[in-house]
């Protein structure tokens, strides 16, 4: 198993990525082969501070960097030797089995959709976020920003992809799927939700439990919650800000600690033909380690095969 | 000044309404004239437990009740002697200057829009919610559910109505208006946000500061935040659930106490020709008192006149 890691992505690159890799190696007796993609002149001198197993990593030189605020499409086109471009190239050509980056999110999304094929039948790849439920369980919300305008059939596919992910990666048996909406009954909501409801209800690949409201996001009403990416992104960032605010206000409680995105690491792009995981720009060691673990799990569980099976069946 | 109160609305009617009224009278030497609208056979026997000033209230008999789960339009048509129908009739005919209810929200919204005229030029009346900012300030989010699908020009009017309300009721000078969106720059977001941005930017009646993201909701980036009612309602209910969850988890902090909707009481329907305030179904005494105070303030500040002035100018 080969996992590519963008060493130049994120605000704390490459040092925090290296720390995360160290932590991954320390905790895994039989680690995946890691491809450290980035400027070797920057990376190599730092390696003496770490003790990576020689046989378990390879440095892949990529002298360019796509900055956080560069225009995604233009940057990918112009910087073919950037760590992100090289990362996608390795993945697309089968030299790696997964790719991780905490770099320019837009470039990662564009690269995911254009360097790799979508899974057959997928209308729109999607990104998700973990939702810490009040009772200790974990929910999944999607889409959280890849698709700011959606059609009903997109939400219907998000439900399938979210269910496969929740079952295989989060370990939730027969995940309950809810449609994020305003009001409980069928027929409520905006035009999108009204049109999506009957599709979800008829969908035999999911365990649809109806509408969930804003107040249900954090409680155990649905495991997988689907909405358009505009709404989902606002909720995601609102939830992330709760962790920051409680931190700043020194409100210490394990519940809000669970809103710390570092615990999850990153979000996979679901619906494309290879595992790609996008991290937060401010990812530190823990986030990098968790992204590697997540990539490994996605490969081991053969998530993409399972997604395809559900989507075309 | 005459304020009508639906005594039969909400889960704890009429007792908590009575307690709220008592509290209002206790705190106001020169109170408004209150019209207690509801079944007098239920209300009168309870009055002996309270000491309302004789001259400051009138009971208006309304023998019917619209239940929380009744179909709004049908209920309003069939139950013309319900407290909500009578309340709107008194308001529409000028016998009261404002109307408050914690009853069936749908019936209150339908009644607001159809019993009363919209203010001239208003495309869509709107409802809002207070957002407790991290720094102790108060923001306003609208729409929060009256308009689940919106057009750009609706958001543009919400911005004006929200600004007038924020300035006059919340006491925010020259309120900063933000467009709730995903991404900071102009051109980001879903189709609605992309189209609304230039309208807001050109609008001379507001102090537009650009896009605000989910992570900015609770910080001091914008005072008035506009979005469609689907998104706003989900945020509102999500925020309300935070108060409940922190309560259940016994996370005690004054910040989360500020998410207690009872502190605000209710939301006014903005854009209609008379003040109408809709309370939460689970409103208790404090919420009722605060709704009366809010209604009084809206009348005193002549909010509707100011709204009209900004909207037609």
């Amino acid at each position: 198993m080969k996992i590519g890691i963008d060493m130049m992505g994120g605000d704390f690159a490459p040092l925090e990525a290296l720390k995360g890799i160290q932590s991954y190696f320390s905790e895994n007796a039989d680690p995946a082969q890691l491809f450290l993609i980035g400027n070797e002149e920057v990376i190599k001198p730092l390696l003496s501070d770490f003790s990576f197993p020689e046989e378990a990593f390879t440095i892949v030189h990529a002298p360019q960097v796509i900055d956080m605020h560069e225009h995604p499409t233009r940057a990918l086109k112009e910087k073919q030797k950037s760590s992100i471009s090289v990362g996608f190239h390795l993945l697309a050509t089968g030299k790696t089995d997964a790719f991780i980056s905490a770099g320019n999110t837009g470039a990662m999304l564009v690269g995911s959709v254009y360097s790799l094929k979508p899974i057959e039948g997928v209308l729109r790849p999607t990104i998700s976020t973990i939702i810490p439920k009040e009772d200790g369980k974990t929910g999944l919300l999607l889409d959280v920003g890849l698709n700011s305008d959606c059609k009903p059939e997109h939400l219907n596919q998000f439900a399938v992809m979210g269910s496969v992910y929740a079952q295989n990666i989060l370990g939730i048996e027969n995940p309950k799927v809810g449609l994020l909406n305003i009001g409980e009954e069928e027929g409520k909501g905006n035009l999108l939700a009204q049109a999506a409801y009957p599709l979800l209800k008829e969908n035999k690949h999911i365990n649809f439990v109806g509408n969930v409201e804003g107040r249900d996001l954090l409680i155990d009403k649905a495991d997988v919650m689907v909405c358009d990416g505009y709404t989902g992104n606002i909720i995601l960032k609102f939830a992330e800000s709760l962790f920051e605010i409680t931190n700043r206000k020194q409100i210490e409680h394990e519940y809000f600690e669970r809103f710390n995105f570092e615990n999850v690491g990153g979000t996979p792009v679901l619906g494309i033909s290879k595992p790609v995981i996008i991290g937060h720009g401010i990812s530190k060691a823990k986030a990098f380690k968790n992204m590697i673990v997540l990539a490994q799990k996605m490969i081991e569980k053969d998530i993409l095969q399972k997604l395809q099976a559900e989507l075309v069946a």
Side-chain angles (χ1 to χ4, degrees), chain A:
Chain A
M1 186 190 305
K2 294 164 184 162
I3 299 173
I5 303 169
D6 171 12
M7 300 306 289
M8 315 310 282
D11 296 347
F12 307 110
L15 193 60
E16 292 293 328
L18 288 165
K19 287 185 192 168
I21 291 166
Q22 179 73 75
S23 164
Y24 169 75
F25 282 139
S26 310
E27 294 173 18
N28 287 275
D30 184 22
Q33 175 80 12
L34 301 188
F35 286 70
L36 283 50
I37 307 158
N39 191 335
E40 62 183 7
E41 289 164 35
V42 176
I43 299 166
K44 275 189 176 163
L46 294 168
L47 283 181
S48 57
D49 293 338
F50 297 89
S51 54
F52 297 169
E54 283 289 338
E55 70 292 353
F57 78 100
T58 311
I59 293 177
V60 180
H61 184 53
Q64 292 177 309
V65 175
I66 295 178
D67 292 325
M68 296 308 258
H69 292 288
E70 285 191 70
H71 188 276
T73 322
R74 200 180 310 139
L76 281 173
K77 194 176 288 177
E78 290 172 5
K79 293 186 171 175
Q80 305 231 347
K81 289 180 177 174
S82 65
S83 50
I84 290 180
S85 296
V86 172
F88 276 116
H89 181 72
L90 293 176
L91 186 60
T93 52
K95 300 206 174 58
T96 54
D97 304 306
F99 179 45
I100 291 167
S101 173
N104 186 309
T105 304
M108 286 299 291
L109 293 174
V110 171
S112 299
V113 176
Y114 293 102
S115 303
L116 306 168
K117 285 182 196 155
I119 292 176
E120 198 191 326
V122 166
L123 300 168
R124 295 274 197 98
T126 177
I127 53 175
S128 60
T129 187
I130 293 297
I131 296 287
K133 296 281 188 178
E134 184 184 0
D135 60 3
K137 291 182 186 165
T138 297
L140 193 73
L141 177 72
L142 71 172
D143 182 88
V144 295
L146 188 46
N147 305 284
S148 54
D149 287 286
C150 288
K151 295 193 168 143
E153 51 271 33
H154 301 152
L155 300 196
N156 198 26
Q157 284 200 339
F158 299 163
V160 175
M161 293 194 271
S163 293
V164 170
Y165 188 81
Q167 185 156 347
N168 289 280
I169 300 296
L170 305 180
I172 301 168
E173 270 308 304
N174 194 25
K176 300 188 290 277
V177 174
L179 171 64
L180 192 60
N181 207 343
I182 59 172
E184 292 180 354
E185 305 85 17
E186 180 170 359
K188 294 273 183 175
N190 61 5
L191 295 173
L192 173 63
Q194 285 175 33
Y197 193 105
L199 299 184
L200 292 162
K201 199 172 152 186
E202 293 299 315
N203 189 333
K204 292 191 174 60
H205 296 268
I206 58 168
N207 172 20
F208 183 55
V209 296
N211 290 327
V212 293
E213 298 186 78
R215 63 169 175 236
D216 305 318
L217 273 162
L218 302 179
I219 64 171
D220 184 23
K221 193 161 171 187
D223 303 300
V224 175
M225 298 166 286
V226 295
C227 63
D228 64 275
Y230 170 85
T231 308
N233 184 271
I234 289 167
I235 294 168
L236 163 64
K237 289 184 179 160
F238 184 47
E240 282 181 357
S241 80
L242 288 174
F243 171 71
E244 289 160 25
I245 288 173
T246 51
N247 248 2
R248 285 196 291 265
K249 289 193 177 289
Q250 296 180 296
I251 301 171
E252 283 174 20
H253 194 279
E254 61 82 29
Y255 184 58
F256 287 110
E257 176 55 37
R258 290 177 56 217
F259 284 80
N260 184 352
F261 73 89
E262 288 236 18
N263 296 329
V264 185
T267 177
V269 184
L270 295 176
I272 52 170
S273 57
K274 300 278 178 83
V276 171
I277 295 169
I278 305 179
H280 213 293
I282 52 172
S283 288
K284 292 199 174 178
K286 186 178 180 184
F288 279 103
K289 188 206 73 177
N290 285 333
M291 285 193 277
I292 303 169
V293 171
L294 176 56
Q296 186 170 351
K297 201 167 177 181
M298 285 182 72
I299 300 166
E300 282 168 358
K301 295 267 185 176
D302 206 356
I303 285 294
L304 302 181
Q305 191 57 45
K306 285 172 181 153
L307 274 178
Q308 182 140 32
E310 288 295 322
L311 283 164
V312 295

